[in-house]
Amino acid sequence: MDMLTSKIFLRKTKRGKVLKVVREHYLRDDLWCGSDLCKKCNQENSEVLDDAPLSSSTLCACPHYVVVDTNVVLHQIDVLESPAWKNVIVLQTVLEETRKRSTNNFKKLKEIMATRKDNFYVFVNEHHKDTYVERNPGESANDRNDRAIRKACSWYQTHLEESQQGRDKKKKIQIILLTQDFKNREQALKEGIPAYKVDEYVKSLKDFPDLQEKLAASHSEDNAENREPLFPEHWAPTRIMTGIKSGKLLQGIFHCSRENFLEGSVSVEGQDKSILLQGHASLNRAVDGDIVAVELLPEDKWTSPSGIVLEDQEDQDPGDQIEKEEALLSNSAKGKDRQPTGKVVGIIRRKWRQYCGILLPSVLAEGTRHLFVPAERKIPKIRIETRQAATLSSQKIIVAIDSWPRTSRYPLGHFVRALGNIGDKDTENEVLLLEHDVPHHSFPETVLACLPSMPWTISQEEVKRREDLRNLDICSVDPPGCTDIDDALHFRELSPNLYEIGVHIADVSHFVRPDTALDKEAANRGTTVYLVDRRIDMVPELLSSNLCSLRPDQERLAFSVIWEVTPNAEIKKTRFTKSVIRSRRAFTYAEAQCSIDDPLQQNELAKSLRGLNKLAKIMKKNRMDKGALQLSSPEIRFEVSTETNDPIDVISKPMLDTNSMVEEFMLLANISVAEHIFKHFPECAVLRRHPVPPESNFEPFLKAGKTQGFTLDVSSNKALAASLDAAVKPDNVYMNTMLRILATRCMMQAVYFSSGTVAPVDFYHYGLAAPIILISHLPFAGLYADLLVHRLLAVAIGADVTYADLLDRKCVQQLCNNLNYRHKMSQYAQRSSVALHTHLFFRHRVQDEDAYVLSVRQNALQVLIPKYGLEGSIYLKEKDEDSKPAFIYNPDVPSQTCGNITIRTFDRIVVQVSLDSKYVQHQKIAVHLVQPQIAGLSVEAIKTVNDSEPIPKKLKAGK
């Protein structure tokens, strides 16, 4: 039976008026309690709570159901993942409060309940007439919720009493409340409800002794009040908000330096220059990604980055003491390179997550407190307590941060779970996917249910709705081993002065329909992630490698852009159509280049490729003349053993004309489609922009160019492109590439956006010199952005119908925000995968290689080894080390001088690369100087590669 009650709110408007808001609230008396014991509810086939639950708790030995308070979910969510938990009641009050206070914990709780639905039961207490409670006048929302939780506990006990008549008292089921709230626990005991702290209950579970290690660390350490604080106290939230409002404080995102753990910066919206932070006190317990409140120092105390490369290299817990920082930071420039400098006075929002890494066991044999070293260098070490150190020290593990008291040098956390053995390839891959938040779970059944049945064929009805292009000589050009062939090309001569060219993209929008489980999964994943040895698909493999892969000699659905162009690449006509195609061949870049270069090949595909390549060169020249940038970043691929799947050789990826050819036509397709959908949908077109970098971004680049005698012009992209083309030295052929690498690092991040959220003047793509564009790479390279574009284009040409969210600029922008995040994380994951395989490659090798100095620091040289795309540091002097030779650092050049040898930016040197196995649980790539020879620093050159394993004869190419 339904009952109706009302919730009444008073709300103040912006104009000061007070509005009375009345909301109807329905109550029922037929909501099932979820217990198999119950004889009153009469529900069938939904039993979750056992009729005779077994208890492994020494604290509460009688049969019982557990009700968890909100603070348990907020602070001990990792504990709830254990199979120890059965017969758990999650109240609607707790769910709603968790959703409001922590989105991450709410999602995790939902996942736990979904995977263990037989052990967790959600009771909708807010809509049951006997458990709903009104908020009393003057009562806080938190106190009202605590009262609602206690009310539900009491109701359960009374409700089940009738069904337990005749049972022995010791066998009767009790309802126990787990809460960390002292006041709530005391009140529950007064009301006759058994209530315990979650940590004392967990410690009483005799069958799960290891579970207590997952307990979140206490927010206040024992005897903390008796210890000297190491950090300034954080300001109260009200004081922070007042300071921000008055302009005394600034808020922004904290970024920890990868090069110096004692430095960081805060990016403030609307300001070109970040705010520099130096030293423990100024960083004040901020963790990378936190939103912080910063107070600027007086201008006469502003400084610049110290130029020191510094890692927290403590191999054991140093205790709660902080080293003297004056020597480490004293050489920060005080001249013209100064930048705004400040200190963190408070944390507005923490961005803590779970971290992967390794354990540094305590030197004490029976010690339980240990240091955890995160894989991400920007995250500080974390103190955890565990009795499993002997086992965990050889494994990669996951740890969560719980708190960071003023009296503790490091944050406090707890062990979550182990991933696998250190050095194991599968474990290391799992680490890099987790660290970069790449969704890589198996596709759920609801998603797979959206896929077409096999065998699949194109129906005649579908052919009639499309343009039939199966007669055209279409081909694809991709990297070797590519199975997700998502684009193809064609060229034909219409007349001596008119050609037809076409770009054909796999029509994934035919299979991924809006608002389906498949669509939602693809939107969440955002992009396909390419690692060295595997691919994490955005859509199931049936689509990515089969039905949406333009395989040769198979009919496929496509979206085509077709142009009529002159021999001078002047576009005369553009049209868009959904099509059916049949590719003639899948070329690799090298195979396509051979077809172009071999005059004996006169087949139609070879002629088509030559025509495409000729037009592409003209198009590229036109773009470069307009100011498009040709930047650089080292790209390599691995030769992989077919027997062990480990890397056995590293090869630089060659850049052929065919690479550029494909890029030019994909770029042309992007611009053409962007103009068309923006014309039809000016408020919700999905575009990509590349903001103009602020001049301050170019300072390291300009200084590096000046050391080589070049005056570089960064006033515009065209001026920059001309400067880069002119910056050539015959005696250092790699120097121009190095300059382009540094220029790449000055660029802003290109981002997806909804056209209605940005002024048209800001649509410009700086790197490509394009006024409007969709994306900066392949039109369907496994990106959800491309799926949105396909849908918009289909509506624009009348090939499909629209839906509400597609035309809502706010919904589109939310999707774009996720796409930007996923795309950035995928790039980081790909780089980490290359680094991992480089690590594996050097497991049994020591090699001497050519390297170039990327930057000269006060205590180190940062070098690039082009063959491996690897960067490393050669330390000229370690902390507290006097054994190495003395160097004189000149920050104005910059350079390092030892005797008659001076090393500057871009100098070619020879280095020795190996795997540093000093600590088994923390191996890393080591780089040592070979040439020039500097006594006390350089190592001897090796004449042969030290390879303890024979190289297998069978090879396969890694993508």
Side-chain angles (χ1 to χ4, degrees):
M1 183 181 75
D2 288 352
M3 298 176 59
L4 183 64
T5 186
S6 298
K7 288 184 176 181
I8 301 175
F9 305 90
L10 295 177
R11 192 176 66 187
K12 196 172 184 178
T13 67
K14 290 182 179 180
R15 295 183 177 181
K17 293 183 178 180
V18 177
L19 296 179
K20 183 178 181 182
V21 181
V22 180
R23 292 180 183 171
E24 295 180 339
H25 189 78
Y26 286 89
L27 302 176
R28 302 175 59 172
D29 62 358
D30 58 350
L31 296 174
W32 186 49
C33 66
S35 173
D36 192 24
L37 169 71
C38 182
K39 298 175 183 177
K40 297 174 69 175
C41 293
N42 297 321
Q43 300 288 333
E44 297 179 359
N45 302 324
S46 297
E47 296 85 1
V48 174
L49 306 173
D50 297 336
D51 63 345
L54 299 175
S55 172
S56 66
S57 170
T58 56
L59 190 64
C60 186
C62 63
H64 59 268
Y65 297 155
V66 174
V67 175
V68 291
D69 195 359
T70 307
N71 49 55
V72 174
V73 178
L74 291 175
H75 302 300
Q76 304 288 356
I77 188 69
D78 295 323
V79 170
L80 296 178
E81 292 180 329
S82 168
W85 298 94
K86 297 179 180 179
N87 300 295
V88 178
I89 300 169
V90 179
L91 301 175
Q92 182 190 1
T93 303
V94 172
L95 266 181
E96 290 183 354
E97 196 172 4
T98 302
R99 179 174 55 81
K100 292 175 183 176
R101 295 176 61 182
S102 173
T103 303
N104 288 338
N105 283 28
F106 177 72
K107 288 180 179 177
K108 288 185 71 173
L109 181 60
K110 295 282 281 186
E111 289 172 6
I112 292 170
M113 293 189 299
T115 54
R116 303 190 56 224
K117 57 181 67 175
D118 292 338
N119 302 119
F120 286 76
Y121 178 70
V122 177
F123 178 61
V124 191
N125 65 305
E126 295 289 353
H127 289 277
H128 196 291
K129 72 177 184 66
D130 294 329
T131 56
Y132 173 73
V133 299
E134 291 277 4
R135 183 174 170 182
N136 296 327
E139 187 178 33
S140 70
N142 183 67
D143 288 345
R144 181 264 168 203
N145 290 339
D146 287 346
R147 188 159 55 87
I149 292 169
R150 297 194 301 272
K151 176 80 170 180
C153 291
S154 299
W155 176 84
Y156 258 100
Q157 197 67 63
T158 305
H159 179 74
L160 294 176
E161 189 62 39
E162 184 178 322
S163 302
Q164 299 189 88
Q165 288 182 1
R167 274 195 178 188
D168 185 275
K169 187 175 181 180
K170 292 183 179 180
K171 294 183 179 180
K172 284 188 176 183
I173 296 174
Q174 284 193 4
I175 308 299
I176 69 167
L177 173 63
L178 296 186
T179 177
Q180 297 297 89
D181 187 324
F182 175 79
K183 182 180 175 183
N184 194 21
R185 190 166 62 252
E186 289 295 302
Q187 191 61 38
L189 293 172
K190 288 180 182 178
E191 296 174 12
I193 303 168
Y196 306 99
K197 293 198 301 184
V198 69
D199 52 346
E200 63 182 350
Y201 180 80
V202 165
K203 291 173 183 176
S204 76
L205 298 175
K206 59 180 183 293
D207 296 336
F208 300 92
D210 294 337
L211 182 58
Q212 58 187 284
E213 295 188 358
K214 292 190 176 186
L215 287 166
S218 171
H219 285 256
S220 56
E221 291 185 288
D222 296 336
N223 301 320
E225 65 276 4
N226 298 324
R227 297 208 302 267
E228 191 71 26
L230 303 177
F231 299 95
E233 187 175 5
H234 285 152
W235 289 15
T238 51
R239 188 182 177 192
I240 290 174
M241 291 302 107
T242 302
I244 291 172
K245 191 174 181 180
S246 67
K248 182 180 179 181
L249 301 181
L250 298 171
Q251 67 172 327
I253 300 174
F254 171 70
H255 306 281
C256 185
S257 169
R258 283 184 179 276
E259 299 169 356
N260 187 338
F261 78 102
L262 289 178
E263 290 187 340
S265 63
V266 175
S267 55
V268 179
E269 189 175 351
Q271 293 198 7
D272 287 347
K273 283 201 172 187
S274 297
I275 298 171
L276 178 66
L277 309 175
Q278 292 184 317
H280 284 290
S282 293
L283 299 176
N284 199 6
R285 295 169 284 158
V287 176
D288 190 67
D290 286 350
I291 299 176
V292 300
V294 179
E295 183 178 28
L296 279 177
L297 299 178
E299 196 166 338
D300 60 348
K301 292 186 178 180
W302 288 6
T303 180
S304 66
S306 63
I308 294 177
V309 178
L310 190 65
E311 295 181 39
D312 184 2
Q313 296 180 331
E314 299 288 354
D315 298 319
Q316 295 296 330
D317 193 332
D320 291 320
Q321 57 184 0
I322 291 177
E323 64 277 310
K324 293 182 179 179
E325 300 169 353
E326 290 80 4
L328 299 176
L329 301 173
S330 60
N331 293 307
S332 296
K334 299 285 184 181
K336 62 181 179 179
D337 292 330
R338 293 188 312 157
Q339 66 184 79
T341 307
K343 59 182 180 180
V344 172
V345 297
I347 308 295
I348 296 173
R349 187 185 307 153
R350 289 290 192 187
K351 297 292 279 187
W352 291 346
R353 56 179 174 84
Q354 293 182 344
Y355 303 99
C356 304
I358 59 169
L359 195 69
L360 290 181
S362 168
V363 289
L364 302 176
E366 301 299 322
T368 59
R369 175 181 284 189
H370 311 277
L371 270 186
F372 167 81
V373 182
E376 173 54 70
R377 286 166 54 186
K378 298 169 77 172
I379 304 300
K381 293 174 182 176
I382 303 167
R383 281 182 178 144
I384 68 168
E385 292 194 14
T386 177
R387 292 173 177 80
Q388 304 178 65
T391 302
L392 298 181
S393 61
S394 62
Q395 295 186 315
K396 283 290 176 76
I397 64 174
I398 295 178
V399 160
I401 297 179
D402 300 317
S403 64
W404 195 343
R406 292 177 64 199
T407 54
S408 175
R409 170 173 174 151
Y410 297 116
L412 311 180
H414 65 274
F415 165 70
V416 177
R417 62 186 173 99
L419 294 171
N421 291 330
I422 295 171
D424 176 75
K425 191 174 179 182
D426 290 338
T427 300
E428 301 296 344
N429 266 330
E430 179 74 6
V431 167
L432 73 87
L433 290 171
L434 289 170
E435 275 297 296
H436 297 102
D437 195 17
V438 176
H440 58 287
H441 53 269
S442 299
F443 287 99
E445 289 299 322
T446 52
V447 170
L448 299 178
C450 299
L451 299 176
S453 302
M454 296 299 286
W456 175 86
T457 57
I458 303 173
S459 67
Q460 286 303 309
E461 291 77 11
E462 188 62 36
V463 173
K464 291 176 182 177
R465 287 193 288 267
R466 295 171 176 261
E467 186 170 347
D468 192 344
L469 302 179
R470 288 175 288 187
N471 63 308
L472 296 179
D473 291 318
I474 295 172
C475 65
S476 60
V477 184
D478 287 287
C482 179
T483 60
D484 53 340
I485 305 171
D486 39 47
D487 59 90
L489 303 163
H490 90 265
F491 170 97
R492 64 174 175 170
E493 189 174 316
L494 300 178
S495 68
N497 293 313
L498 193 65
Y499 307 142
E500 179 185 271
I501 54 177
V503 169
H504 311 275
I505 311 300
D507 186 8
V508 72
S509 63
H510 174 80
F511 299 97
V512 184
R513 303 305 297 166
D515 206 33
T516 60
L518 176 57
D519 181 45
K520 292 173 183 176
E521 182 72 20
N524 177 48
R525 294 189 177 217
T527 183
T528 294
V529 181
Y530 294 92
L531 306 183
V532 170
D533 59 343
R534 64 186 289 201
R535 187 180 77 218
I536 313 297
D537 286 319
M538 183 185 76
V539 294
E541 191 176 13
L542 176 63
L543 297 184
S544 63
S545 296
N546 189 349
L547 303 185
C548 291
S549 181
L550 306 180
R551 295 174 171 180
D553 300 319
Q554 294 189 22
E555 295 180 356
R556 288 291 181 259
L557 301 178
F559 223 136
S560 301
V561 188
I562 300 171
W563 302 269
E564 291 180 8
V565 301
T566 67
N568 293 324
E570 181 184 349
I571 298 172
K572 292 296 185 181
K573 184 180 179 182
T574 306
R575 64 189 182 90
F576 311 92
T577 182
K578 286 208 168 192
S579 59
V580 181
I581 69 168
R582 186 182 181 90
S583 175
R584 299 293 188 265
R585 181 174 173 183
F587 288 95
T588 65
Y589 289 118
E591 290 169 345
Q593 192 66 53
C594 287
S595 291
I596 292 170
D597 296 339
D598 186 355
L600 298 178
Q601 293 197 33
Q602 293 300 323
N603 57 67
E604 290 302 318
L605 288 181
K607 291 178 182 177
S608 294
L609 288 170
R610 291 189 189 106
L612 289 167
N613 193 44
K614 184 178 179 181
L615 288 170
K617 288 182 177 180
I618 297 171
M619 291 159 54
K620 183 172 183 178
K621 183 180 182 304
N622 292 339
R623 279 199 311 109
M624 294 301 164
D625 290 344
K626 292 178 182 177
L629 296 174
Q630 190 169 352
L631 301 177
S632 181
S633 59
E635 290 192 42
I636 60 172
R637 69 183 182 91
F638 293 88
E639 293 286 355
V640 182
S641 165
T642 56
E643 297 169 3
T644 65
N645 213 33
D646 285 339
I648 55 176
D649 199 6
V650 182
I651 302 170
S652 295
K653 288 185 180 179
M655 283 301 293
L656 305 172
D657 283 349
T658 46
N659 292 80
S660 181
M661 178 189 76
V662 172
E663 288 175 4
E664 287 304 316
F665 286 110
M666 296 308 138
L667 183 55
L668 179 60
N670 271 286
I671 294 173
S672 298
V673 174
E675 291 172 343
H676 195 72
I677 64 170
F678 180 63
K679 177 181 175 182
H680 285 79
F681 304 103
E683 288 294 307
C684 59
V686 178
L687 304 175
R688 188 167 171 85
R689 64 191 182 96
H690 185 203
V692 177
E695 285 191 16
S696 58
N697 280 26
F698 288 108
E699 288 174 2
F701 168 72
L702 294 172
K703 182 180 281 189
K706 190 176 180 181
T707 64
Q708 299 296 315
F710 296 114
T711 302
L712 302 169
D713 187 352
V714 297
S715 59
S716 68
N717 50 0
K718 188 171 183 177
L720 175 58
S723 292
L724 287 170
D725 290 341
V728 176
K729 278 197 170 182
D731 60 337
N732 190 343
V733 293
Y734 199 71
M735 193 213 66
N736 187 264
T737 303
M738 297 278 286
L739 268 178
R740 294 181 188 274
I741 290 172
L742 289 181
T744 303
R745 299 179 181 186
C746 300
M747 297 296 114
M748 302 289 284
Q749 182 79 28
V751 292
Y752 299 101
F753 68 101
S754 173
S755 56
T757 63
V758 174
V761 70
D762 294 325
F763 286 10
Y764 189 69
H765 196 291
Y766 179 83
L768 298 172
I772 185 170
I773 194 168
L774 296 172
I775 58 175
S776 56
H777 38 78
L778 301 183
F780 185 74
L783 283 163
Y784 191 78
D786 310 307
L787 183 54
L788 293 174
V789 168
H790 285 193
R791 289 172 179 170
L792 288 166
L793 184 58
V795 176
I797 66 173
D800 206 344
V801 295
T802 187
Y803 56 98
D805 285 354
L806 188 65
L807 303 182
D808 186 327
R809 65 180 183 180
K810 290 184 178 179
C811 289
V812 172
Q813 187 57 48
Q814 286 178 348
L815 289 169
C816 287
N817 292 341
N818 181 60
L819 287 169
N820 292 327
Y821 171 72
R822 294 295 189 200
H823 182 60
K824 182 174 66 175
M825 289 296 106
S826 74
Q827 290 180 317
Y828 292 162
Q830 290 164 30
R831 293 172 196 166
S832 294
S833 182
V834 170
L836 167 62
H837 281 75
T838 305
H839 189 120
L840 295 172
F841 177 74
F842 281 103
R843 185 176 282 175
H844 306 292
R845 292 173 173 84
V846 178
Q847 292 186 194
D848 291 349
E849 297 291 347
D850 286 345
Y852 293 86
V853 179
L854 260 182
S855 65
V856 178
R857 297 305 182 93
Q858 187 176 323
N859 68 329
L861 305 175
Q862 290 187 294
V863 300
L864 172 69
I865 306 164
K867 181 175 179 179
Y868 305 113
L870 178 69
E871 291 184 30
S873 296
I874 300 174
Y875 288 94
L876 306 179
K877 184 177 181 180
E878 304 279 2
K879 186 173 68 172
D880 301 327
E881 183 180 56
D882 297 319
S883 59
K884 287 188 176 178
F887 278 83
I888 300 173
Y889 175 59
N890 183 344
D892 295 327
V893 176
S895 66
Q896 288 279 4
T897 302
C898 181
N900 62 348
I901 296 175
T902 299
I903 300 175
R904 301 177 182 85
T905 308
F906 298 149
D907 282 356
R908 176 185 169 275
I909 59 176
V910 178
V911 299
Q912 193 169 101
V913 188
S914 62
L915 187 66
D916 183 357
S917 300
K918 183 180 178 182
Y919 301 104
V920 176
Q921 74 270 37
H922 197 192
Q923 297 178 343
K924 58 183 179 181
I925 294 291
V927 181
H928 299 285
L929 183 67
V930 176
Q931 293 288 346
Q933 274 286 333
I934 298 175
L937 177 68
S938 300
V939 297
E940 289 187 14
I942 54 173
K943 295 182 179 179
T944 58
V945 175
N946 178 17
D947 201 337
S948 61
E949 289 187 345
I951 297 177
K953 294 180 180 179
K954 295 181 182 179
L955 303 178
K956 68 178 182 181
K959 185 173 178 180

